[in-house]
Structure formats: C-alpha cells, structure tokens
Amino acid sequence: MTVRLTLISPATSEALRDVRFDDQSPLDSAGIARAEAAAATLNSPARTYVSPSPRCRQTARALGLRPEPSSGLAACDMGRWRGQTLDAVAAAEEEAVAAWLSDPTAAPHGGESLRDVRLRVGAWLDALADGDRSEHITAVAEPDVIRAAVLHALTAPDEMFWRMDIRPLTATHLTGRVHRWNLRIGSTLE
C-alpha cells in the first residue's frame, strides 16, 4: 500500500536566525504566528509524528496537530557543538568544520555523522511503508531530518546532503511503498 508523507520543517527560532547548532530553544513569536496562520491549509492526516525538539513540538502545536513523538525524527546529535554558532565553531575548529561539511561519515563534534542520521531516518521511513494500508502521514521534523529523508527516498549519495535547502515552515512530500519512495515536486500554490 502507498504512504503519503508530508514532512513539515519547523517555524523560525532565534537559533535558526543565528545559524546556531540546535540548542533546544523555542520558536520566536513570528514563527508561532506563521504556523498558526498556516494551520488551516493542512489536510487531516491519519497519523502525525514530531521530532523531539522544542521548536518542532511548538510548530506542531501551532499547526493544530497532536503528534506522536518519534526518536527516529531526532535532529543530528551535534555533540560539543550544540548551542554554538557555525561562525564560532568554524573560527575555533576550521579543519573539523571543513571535514564535517565535506565527509558525510565525519563526526568531529563527537555526535552523529550525517550518514548515521540518514540511516536512522531511512529506517524510520521504511518502517512507515511496511504497513498494509494506504494512509496520509504528517511529520514535523528538523531540516537535517528532511534532507536525510529525501536522500533516502531518492537513494541519492550522502554527499548531496548540503545541496538541499529546507526553508522554515515548508512541506516536503514523499510517497512510498516498502523500499521505494518518490519525491513529489510542484504542489499547487494556494
């Protein structure tokens, strides 16, 4: 059976504006307002999931969703870089940041590699498609999780991770069956 999955990125937060590795900060007031305004545009999914991060949980609430938390949708564990800006880390650890941006298996921060994130998210996706009924699922997840899901869906190389921009409060659509996913591009603007 076919699963229709809509992955929604969280609304804006101070950490996003500062280009700071997730520090568990909440949404800003503009992000909450945008999510509340977008709530009416969502179709009613059969199931909903959410990343454990505060900004994903707040986005889901503002969208009127009552999702089930999923550790499979957790953002990349950034280890000792958590809470720091990319500029600060790059100034202190230039070679480590260069390795992290160019090698999907690198984890110089002591957390997860991007490949590990893709494998974890891919397992979560494939478990969704193992069901015996067609359904629409919505998940609010961090941008890195959405990138990993798209890579898995398209069986694209891990090196493509940084070639995708995921804007705040946007939807990415995947349709799939067991071990076969498609990216749906070109939704009608309303």
mmCIF file of all heavy atoms in Angstrom, residues 58-104:
data_model
loop_
_atom_site.group_PDB
_atom_site.id
_atom_site.type_symbol
_atom_site.label_atom_id
_atom_site.label_comp_id
_atom_site.label_asym_id
_atom_site.label_seq_id
_atom_site.Cartn_x
_atom_site.Cartn_y
_atom_site.Cartn_z
ATOM 1 N N GLN A 58 6.549 22.770 19.206
ATOM 2 C CA GLN A 58 5.771 24.017 19.199
ATOM 3 C C GLN A 58 5.144 24.265 17.828
ATOM 4 O O GLN A 58 4.008 24.734 17.748
ATOM 5 C CB GLN A 58 6.667 25.202 19.560
ATOM 6 C CG GLN A 58 6.963 25.308 21.028
ATOM 7 C CD GLN A 58 7.762 26.566 21.304
ATOM 8 O OE1 GLN A 58 8.812 26.791 20.712
ATOM 9 N NE2 GLN A 58 7.249 27.382 22.205
ATOM 10 N N THR A 59 5.870 23.969 16.768
ATOM 11 C CA THR A 59 5.316 24.133 15.424
ATOM 12 C C THR A 59 4.098 23.229 15.247
ATOM 13 O O THR A 59 3.058 23.667 14.751
ATOM 14 C CB THR A 59 6.383 23.830 14.348
ATOM 15 O OG1 THR A 59 7.467 24.754 14.483
ATOM 16 C CG2 THR A 59 5.800 23.920 12.948
ATOM 17 N N ALA A 60 4.227 21.980 15.647
ATOM 18 C CA ALA A 60 3.105 21.043 15.529
ATOM 19 C C ALA A 60 1.889 21.551 16.299
ATOM 20 O O ALA A 60 0.761 21.513 15.780
ATOM 21 C CB ALA A 60 3.523 19.657 16.031
ATOM 22 N N ARG A 61 2.114 22.015 17.522
ATOM 23 C CA ARG A 61 1.006 22.550 18.323
ATOM 24 C C ARG A 61 0.352 23.747 17.623
ATOM 25 O O ARG A 61 -0.866 23.845 17.554
ATOM 26 C CB ARG A 61 1.504 22.969 19.703
ATOM 27 C CG ARG A 61 1.093 22.053 20.807
ATOM 28 C CD ARG A 61 1.330 22.600 22.202
ATOM 29 N NE ARG A 61 2.548 23.360 22.412
ATOM 30 C CZ ARG A 61 3.739 22.836 22.708
ATOM 31 N NH1 ARG A 61 3.880 21.533 22.815
ATOM 32 N NH2 ARG A 61 4.781 23.607 22.919
ATOM 33 N N ALA A 62 1.175 24.674 17.114
ATOM 34 C CA ALA A 62 0.648 25.864 16.451
ATOM 35 C C ALA A 62 -0.119 25.492 15.184
ATOM 36 O O ALA A 62 -1.049 26.200 14.786
ATOM 37 C CB ALA A 62 1.785 26.832 16.126
ATOM 38 N N LEU A 63 0.267 24.395 14.536
ATOM 39 C CA LEU A 63 -0.439 23.919 13.344
ATOM 40 C C LEU A 63 -1.712 23.148 13.693
ATOM 41 O O LEU A 63 -2.442 22.714 12.808
ATOM 42 C CB LEU A 63 0.479 23.022 12.509
ATOM 43 C CG LEU A 63 1.636 23.717 11.801
ATOM 44 C CD1 LEU A 63 2.606 22.691 11.226
ATOM 45 C CD2 LEU A 63 1.118 24.650 10.716
ATOM 46 N N GLY A 64 -1.959 22.954 14.973
ATOM 47 C CA GLY A 64 -3.159 22.233 15.402
ATOM 48 C C GLY A 64 -3.025 20.727 15.346
ATOM 49 O O GLY A 64 -4.017 20.008 15.396
ATOM 50 N N LEU A 65 -1.790 20.228 15.262
ATOM 51 C CA LEU A 65 -1.544 18.786 15.215
ATOM 52 C C LEU A 65 -1.348 18.228 16.615
ATOM 53 O O LEU A 65 -0.883 18.934 17.514
ATOM 54 C CB LEU A 65 -0.298 18.489 14.368
ATOM 55 C CG LEU A 65 -0.337 18.980 12.918
ATOM 56 C CD1 LEU A 65 1.029 18.783 12.261
ATOM 57 C CD2 LEU A 65 -1.421 18.254 12.143
ATOM 58 N N ARG A 66 -1.678 16.974 16.788
ATOM 59 C CA ARG A 66 -1.439 16.273 18.048
ATOM 60 C C ARG A 66 -0.578 15.051 17.734
ATOM 61 O O ARG A 66 -1.055 13.914 17.714
ATOM 62 C CB ARG A 66 -2.749 15.861 18.685
ATOM 63 C CG ARG A 66 -3.649 17.045 18.982
ATOM 64 C CD ARG A 66 -4.571 16.773 20.136
ATOM 65 N NE ARG A 66 -5.524 17.830 20.369
ATOM 66 C CZ ARG A 66 -5.240 19.012 20.898
ATOM 67 N NH1 ARG A 66 -4.018 19.309 21.201
ATOM 68 N NH2 ARG A 66 -6.187 19.906 21.099
ATOM 69 N N PRO A 67 0.704 15.310 17.495
ATOM 70 C CA PRO A 67 1.577 14.241 17.009
ATOM 71 C C PRO A 67 2.145 13.343 18.096
ATOM 72 O O PRO A 67 2.211 13.711 19.271
ATOM 73 C CB PRO A 67 2.704 15.012 16.332
ATOM 74 C CG PRO A 67 2.791 16.271 17.124
ATOM 75 C CD PRO A 67 1.382 16.591 17.539
ATOM 76 N N GLU A 68 2.551 12.190 17.646
ATOM 77 C CA GLU A 68 3.270 11.232 18.488
ATOM 78 C C GLU A 68 4.763 11.551 18.355
ATOM 79 O O GLU A 68 5.277 11.676 17.250
ATOM 80 C CB GLU A 68 2.994 9.822 17.970
ATOM 81 C CG GLU A 68 3.720 8.731 18.675
ATOM 82 C CD GLU A 68 3.418 7.376 18.043
ATOM 83 O OE1 GLU A 68 2.309 7.174 17.522
ATOM 84 O OE2 GLU A 68 4.333 6.536 18.068
ATOM 85 N N PRO A 69 5.490 11.691 19.474
ATOM 86 C CA PRO A 69 6.935 11.935 19.375
ATOM 87 C C PRO A 69 7.633 10.718 18.766
ATOM 88 O O PRO A 69 7.232 9.579 18.988
ATOM 89 C CB PRO A 69 7.388 12.125 20.815
ATOM 90 C CG PRO A 69 6.159 12.265 21.627
ATOM 91 C CD PRO A 69 5.031 11.659 20.844
ATOM 92 N N SER A 70 8.683 10.975 17.980
ATOM 93 C CA SER A 70 9.437 9.892 17.364
ATOM 94 C C SER A 70 10.930 10.171 17.460
ATOM 95 O O SER A 70 11.412 11.153 16.896
ATOM 96 C CB SER A 70 9.039 9.732 15.898
ATOM 97 O OG SER A 70 9.851 8.760 15.291
ATOM 98 N N SER A 71 11.641 9.280 18.140
ATOM 99 C CA SER A 71 13.099 9.445 18.249
ATOM 100 C C SER A 71 13.769 9.251 16.901
ATOM 101 O O SER A 71 14.862 9.763 16.663
ATOM 102 C CB SER A 71 13.672 8.477 19.285
ATOM 103 O OG SER A 71 13.391 7.141 18.914
ATOM 104 N N GLY A 72 13.121 8.550 15.975
ATOM 105 C CA GLY A 72 13.662 8.389 14.628
ATOM 106 C C GLY A 72 13.738 9.698 13.868
ATOM 107 O O GLY A 72 14.472 9.824 12.891
ATOM 108 N N LEU A 73 12.997 10.698 14.322
ATOM 109 C CA LEU A 73 12.991 12.008 13.687
ATOM 110 C C LEU A 73 13.862 13.019 14.426
ATOM 111 O O LEU A 73 13.815 14.216 14.131
ATOM 112 C CB LEU A 73 11.554 12.551 13.617
ATOM 113 C CG LEU A 73 10.593 11.784 12.725
ATOM 114 C CD1 LEU A 73 9.181 12.350 12.866
ATOM 115 C CD2 LEU A 73 11.051 11.828 11.292
ATOM 116 N N ALA A 74 14.656 12.560 15.376
ATOM 117 C CA ALA A 74 15.523 13.481 16.121
ATOM 118 C C ALA A 74 16.549 14.119 15.196
ATOM 119 O O ALA A 74 17.049 13.489 14.264
ATOM 120 C CB ALA A 74 16.232 12.738 17.253
ATOM 121 N N ALA A 75 16.853 15.384 15.463
ATOM 122 C CA ALA A 75 17.893 16.087 14.706
ATOM 123 C C ALA A 75 19.241 15.421 14.967
ATOM 124 O O ALA A 75 19.412 14.675 15.932
ATOM 125 C CB ALA A 75 17.945 17.550 15.133
ATOM 126 N N CYS A 76 20.184 15.717 14.101
ATOM 127 C CA CYS A 76 21.543 15.199 14.259
ATOM 128 C C CYS A 76 22.097 15.609 15.617
ATOM 129 O O CYS A 76 22.009 16.772 16.015
ATOM 130 C CB CYS A 76 22.434 15.759 13.141
ATOM 131 S SG CYS A 76 24.124 15.145 13.173
ATOM 132 N N ASP A 77 22.653 14.664 16.335
ATOM 133 C CA ASP A 77 23.306 14.947 17.612
ATOM 134 C C ASP A 77 24.604 15.680 17.302
ATOM 135 O O ASP A 77 25.536 15.113 16.743
ATOM 136 C CB ASP A 77 23.576 13.642 18.359
ATOM 137 C CG ASP A 77 24.350 13.829 19.648
ATOM 138 O OD1 ASP A 77 24.734 14.967 19.982
ATOM 139 O OD2 ASP A 77 24.589 12.815 20.326
ATOM 140 N N MET A 78 24.665 16.959 17.663
ATOM 141 C CA MET A 78 25.816 17.789 17.331
ATOM 142 C C MET A 78 26.889 17.791 18.409
ATOM 143 O O MET A 78 27.832 18.580 18.345
ATOM 144 C CB MET A 78 25.362 19.219 17.027
ATOM 145 C CG MET A 78 24.493 19.302 15.784
ATOM 146 S SD MET A 78 25.204 18.506 14.315
ATOM 147 C CE MET A 78 26.701 19.404 14.104
ATOM 148 N N GLY A 79 26.775 16.913 19.380
ATOM 149 C CA GLY A 79 27.834 16.767 20.372
ATOM 150 C C GLY A 79 28.228 18.087 21.010
ATOM 151 O O GLY A 79 27.382 18.879 21.397
ATOM 152 N N ARG A 80 29.516 18.330 21.079
ATOM 153 C CA ARG A 80 30.014 19.518 21.777
ATOM 154 C C ARG A 80 29.748 20.825 21.024
ATOM 155 O O ARG A 80 29.941 21.911 21.569
ATOM 156 C CB ARG A 80 31.497 19.368 22.099
ATOM 157 C CG ARG A 80 32.420 19.431 20.924
ATOM 158 C CD ARG A 80 33.907 19.345 21.367
ATOM 159 N NE ARG A 80 34.776 19.507 20.247
ATOM 160 C CZ ARG A 80 35.057 18.571 19.347
ATOM 161 N NH1 ARG A 80 34.518 17.370 19.473
ATOM 162 N NH2 ARG A 80 35.865 18.815 18.331
ATOM 163 N N TRP A 81 29.290 20.762 19.777
ATOM 164 C CA TRP A 81 28.973 21.978 19.032
ATOM 165 C C TRP A 81 27.568 22.510 19.339
ATOM 166 O O TRP A 81 27.225 23.620 18.959
ATOM 167 C CB TRP A 81 29.075 21.732 17.531
ATOM 168 C CG TRP A 81 30.465 21.472 17.033
ATOM 169 C CD1 TRP A 81 31.634 21.512 17.749
ATOM 170 C CD2 TRP A 81 30.833 21.121 15.703
ATOM 171 N NE1 TRP A 81 32.698 21.209 16.943
ATOM 172 C CE2 TRP A 81 32.245 20.961 15.675
ATOM 173 C CE3 TRP A 81 30.120 20.917 14.537
ATOM 174 C CZ2 TRP A 81 32.932 20.620 14.524
ATOM 175 C CZ3 TRP A 81 30.810 20.581 13.389
ATOM 176 C CH2 TRP A 81 32.208 20.438 13.382
ATOM 177 N N ARG A 82 26.783 21.722 20.024
ATOM 178 C CA ARG A 82 25.396 22.111 20.313
ATOM 179 C C ARG A 82 25.351 23.482 20.990
ATOM 180 O O ARG A 82 26.098 23.758 21.913
ATOM 181 C CB ARG A 82 24.745 21.078 21.221
ATOM 182 C CG ARG A 82 23.342 21.438 21.586
ATOM 183 C CD ARG A 82 22.763 20.444 22.565
ATOM 184 N NE ARG A 82 21.395 20.302 22.178
ATOM 185 C CZ ARG A 82 20.774 19.167 21.958
ATOM 186 N NH1 ARG A 82 21.391 18.033 22.106
ATOM 187 N NH2 ARG A 82 19.529 19.154 21.609
ATOM 188 N N GLY A 83 24.479 24.349 20.478
ATOM 189 C CA GLY A 83 24.289 25.673 21.057
ATOM 190 C C GLY A 83 25.249 26.733 20.540
ATOM 191 O O GLY A 83 25.053 27.920 20.786
ATOM 192 N N GLN A 84 26.281 26.340 19.816
ATOM 193 C CA GLN A 84 27.251 27.301 19.290
ATOM 194 C C GLN A 84 26.870 27.721 17.874
ATOM 195 O O GLN A 84 26.232 26.968 17.145
ATOM 196 C CB GLN A 84 28.647 26.681 19.266
ATOM 197 C CG GLN A 84 29.177 26.312 20.648
ATOM 198 C CD GLN A 84 30.597 25.802 20.553
ATOM 199 O OE1 GLN A 84 31.473 26.480 20.044
ATOM 200 N NE2 GLN A 84 30.807 24.586 21.039
ATOM 201 N N THR A 85 27.300 28.923 17.475
ATOM 202 C CA THR A 85 27.055 29.354 16.099
ATOM 203 C C THR A 85 28.060 28.677 15.184
ATOM 204 O O THR A 85 29.168 28.326 15.605
ATOM 205 C CB THR A 85 27.177 30.877 15.938
ATOM 206 O OG1 THR A 85 28.530 31.260 16.180
ATOM 207 C CG2 THR A 85 26.217 31.623 16.856
ATOM 208 N N LEU A 86 27.665 28.526 13.931
ATOM 209 C CA LEU A 86 28.570 27.948 12.945
ATOM 210 C C LEU A 86 29.830 28.805 12.812
ATOM 211 O O LEU A 86 30.939 28.277 12.720
ATOM 212 C CB LEU A 86 27.865 27.810 11.593
ATOM 213 C CG LEU A 86 28.698 27.241 10.447
ATOM 214 C CD1 LEU A 86 29.261 25.862 10.795
ATOM 215 C CD2 LEU A 86 27.883 27.194 9.166
ATOM 216 N N ASP A 87 29.678 30.131 12.833
ATOM 217 C CA ASP A 87 30.847 31.015 12.732
ATOM 218 C C ASP A 87 31.827 30.793 13.881
ATOM 219 O O ASP A 87 33.035 30.736 13.670
ATOM 220 C CB ASP A 87 30.418 32.480 12.703
ATOM 221 C CG ASP A 87 29.788 32.888 11.376
ATOM 222 O OD1 ASP A 87 29.954 32.151 10.375
ATOM 223 O OD2 ASP A 87 29.133 33.952 11.346
ATOM 224 N N ALA A 88 31.323 30.655 15.090
ATOM 225 C CA ALA A 88 32.200 30.451 16.251
ATOM 226 C C ALA A 88 32.927 29.117 16.160
ATOM 227 O O ALA A 88 34.135 29.037 16.431
ATOM 228 C CB ALA A 88 31.386 30.527 17.549
ATOM 229 N N VAL A 89 32.227 28.075 15.769
ATOM 230 C CA VAL A 89 32.853 26.760 15.655
ATOM 231 C C VAL A 89 33.876 26.770 14.518
ATOM 232 O O VAL A 89 34.984 26.254 14.667
ATOM 233 C CB VAL A 89 31.799 25.647 15.442
ATOM 234 C CG1 VAL A 89 32.466 24.313 15.158
ATOM 235 C CG2 VAL A 89 30.896 25.530 16.660
ATOM 236 N N ALA A 90 33.528 27.396 13.396
ATOM 237 C CA ALA A 90 34.453 27.452 12.263
ATOM 238 C C ALA A 90 35.726 28.219 12.624
ATOM 239 O O ALA A 90 36.822 27.854 12.182
ATOM 240 C CB ALA A 90 33.770 28.079 11.055
ATOM 241 N N ALA A 91 35.592 29.264 13.420
ATOM 242 C CA ALA A 91 36.774 30.031 13.835
ATOM 243 C C ALA A 91 37.669 29.214 14.756
ATOM 244 O O ALA A 91 38.900 29.299 14.682
ATOM 245 C CB ALA A 91 36.337 31.322 14.523
ATOM 246 N N ALA A 92 37.059 28.407 15.617
ATOM 247 C CA ALA A 92 37.833 27.618 16.582
ATOM 248 C C ALA A 92 38.316 26.287 16.022
ATOM 249 O O ALA A 92 39.361 25.776 16.426
ATOM 250 C CB ALA A 92 36.983 27.372 17.836
ATOM 251 N N GLU A 93 37.551 25.693 15.099
ATOM 252 C CA GLU A 93 37.855 24.354 14.583
ATOM 253 C C GLU A 93 37.665 24.308 13.069
ATOM 254 O O GLU A 93 36.861 23.536 12.549
ATOM 255 C CB GLU A 93 36.933 23.318 15.232
ATOM 256 C CG GLU A 93 37.026 23.236 16.741
ATOM 257 C CD GLU A 93 36.118 22.156 17.302
ATOM 258 O OE1 GLU A 93 36.175 21.002 16.821
ATOM 259 O OE2 GLU A 93 35.332 22.486 18.212
ATOM 260 N N GLU A 94 38.413 25.112 12.359
ATOM 261 C CA GLU A 94 38.244 25.251 10.917
ATOM 262 C C GLU A 94 38.332 23.912 10.177
ATOM 263 O O GLU A 94 37.494 23.602 9.339
ATOM 264 C CB GLU A 94 39.285 26.219 10.359
ATOM 265 C CG GLU A 94 39.125 26.511 8.895
ATOM 266 C CD GLU A 94 40.129 27.527 8.389
ATOM 267 O OE1 GLU A 94 40.821 28.172 9.205
ATOM 268 O OE2 GLU A 94 40.216 27.671 7.158
ATOM 269 N N GLU A 95 39.333 23.109 10.490
ATOM 270 C CA GLU A 95 39.502 21.821 9.800
ATOM 271 C C GLU A 95 38.377 20.850 10.133
ATOM 272 O O GLU A 95 37.923 20.098 9.267
ATOM 273 C CB GLU A 95 40.858 21.219 10.132
ATOM 274 C CG GLU A 95 42.020 21.951 9.481
ATOM 275 C CD GLU A 95 43.370 21.327 9.814
ATOM 276 O OE1 GLU A 95 43.417 20.151 10.232
ATOM 277 O OE2 GLU A 95 44.376 22.028 9.648
ATOM 278 N N ALA A 96 37.930 20.877 11.378
ATOM 279 C CA ALA A 96 36.849 19.978 11.780
ATOM 280 C C ALA A 96 35.553 20.329 11.051
ATOM 281 O O ALA A 96 34.831 19.441 10.585
ATOM 282 C CB ALA A 96 36.642 20.041 13.293
ATOM 283 N N VAL A 97 35.253 21.621 10.938
ATOM 284 C CA VAL A 97 34.050 22.040 10.222
ATOM 285 C C VAL A 97 34.164 21.679 8.744
ATOM 286 O O VAL A 97 33.202 21.190 8.137
ATOM 287 C CB VAL A 97 33.784 23.550 10.413
ATOM 288 C CG1 VAL A 97 32.671 24.031 9.487
ATOM 289 C CG2 VAL A 97 33.418 23.841 11.868
ATOM 290 N N ALA A 98 35.328 21.888 8.161
ATOM 291 C CA ALA A 98 35.532 21.524 6.753
ATOM 292 C C ALA A 98 35.306 20.031 6.538
ATOM 293 O O ALA A 98 34.682 19.624 5.555
ATOM 294 C CB ALA A 98 36.931 21.932 6.294
ATOM 295 N N ALA A 99 35.795 19.210 7.460
ATOM 296 C CA ALA A 99 35.589 17.758 7.355
ATOM 297 C C ALA A 99 34.106 17.422 7.466
ATOM 298 O O ALA A 99 33.579 16.614 6.698
ATOM 299 C CB ALA A 99 36.385 17.027 8.432
ATOM 300 N N TRP A 100 33.430 18.036 8.400
ATOM 301 C CA TRP A 100 32.006 17.761 8.612
ATOM 302 C C TRP A 100 31.182 18.155 7.391
ATOM 303 O O TRP A 100 30.234 17.471 7.010
ATOM 304 C CB TRP A 100 31.532 18.510 9.858
ATOM 305 C CG TRP A 100 30.097 18.327 10.179
ATOM 306 C CD1 TRP A 100 29.470 17.181 10.582
ATOM 307 C CD2 TRP A 100 29.083 19.328 10.117
ATOM 308 N NE1 TRP A 100 28.119 17.416 10.777
ATOM 309 C CE2 TRP A 100 27.878 18.720 10.509
ATOM 310 C CE3 TRP A 100 29.081 20.669 9.793
ATOM 311 C CZ2 TRP A 100 26.680 19.417 10.574
ATOM 312 C CZ3 TRP A 100 27.881 21.364 9.857
ATOM 313 C CH2 TRP A 100 26.702 20.741 10.233
ATOM 314 N N LEU A 101 31.538 19.275 6.741
ATOM 315 C CA LEU A 101 30.796 19.740 5.574
ATOM 316 C C LEU A 101 31.104 18.953 4.303
ATOM 317 O O LEU A 101 30.348 19.007 3.346
ATOM 318 C CB LEU A 101 31.074 21.232 5.330
ATOM 319 C CG LEU A 101 30.492 22.183 6.371
ATOM 320 C CD1 LEU A 101 31.003 23.600 6.133
ATOM 321 C CD2 LEU A 101 28.977 22.143 6.362
ATOM 322 N N SER A 102 32.219 18.217 4.293
ATOM 323 C CA SER A 102 32.604 17.516 3.063
ATOM 324 C C SER A 102 32.550 15.994 3.159
ATOM 325 O O SER A 102 32.491 15.313 2.138
ATOM 326 C CB SER A 102 34.017 17.941 2.639
ATOM 327 O OG SER A 102 34.955 17.571 3.633
ATOM 328 N N ASP A 103 32.546 15.448 4.363
ATOM 329 C CA ASP A 103 32.573 13.998 4.543
ATOM 330 C C ASP A 103 31.365 13.554 5.370
ATOM 331 O O ASP A 103 31.321 13.800 6.576
ATOM 332 C CB ASP A 103 33.871 13.579 5.239
ATOM 333 C CG ASP A 103 33.967 12.083 5.489
ATOM 334 O OD1 ASP A 103 33.047 11.327 5.101
ATOM 335 O OD2 ASP A 103 34.975 11.669 6.097
ATOM 336 N N PRO A 104 30.379 12.902 4.755
ATOM 337 C CA PRO A 104 29.176 12.502 5.481
ATOM 338 C C PRO A 104 29.420 11.510 6.614
ATOM 339 O O PRO A 104 28.549 11.312 7.456
ATOM 340 C CB PRO A 104 28.287 11.868 4.412
ATOM 341 C CG PRO A 104 28.906 12.169 3.116
ATOM 342 C CD PRO A 104 30.320 12.543 3.348
#
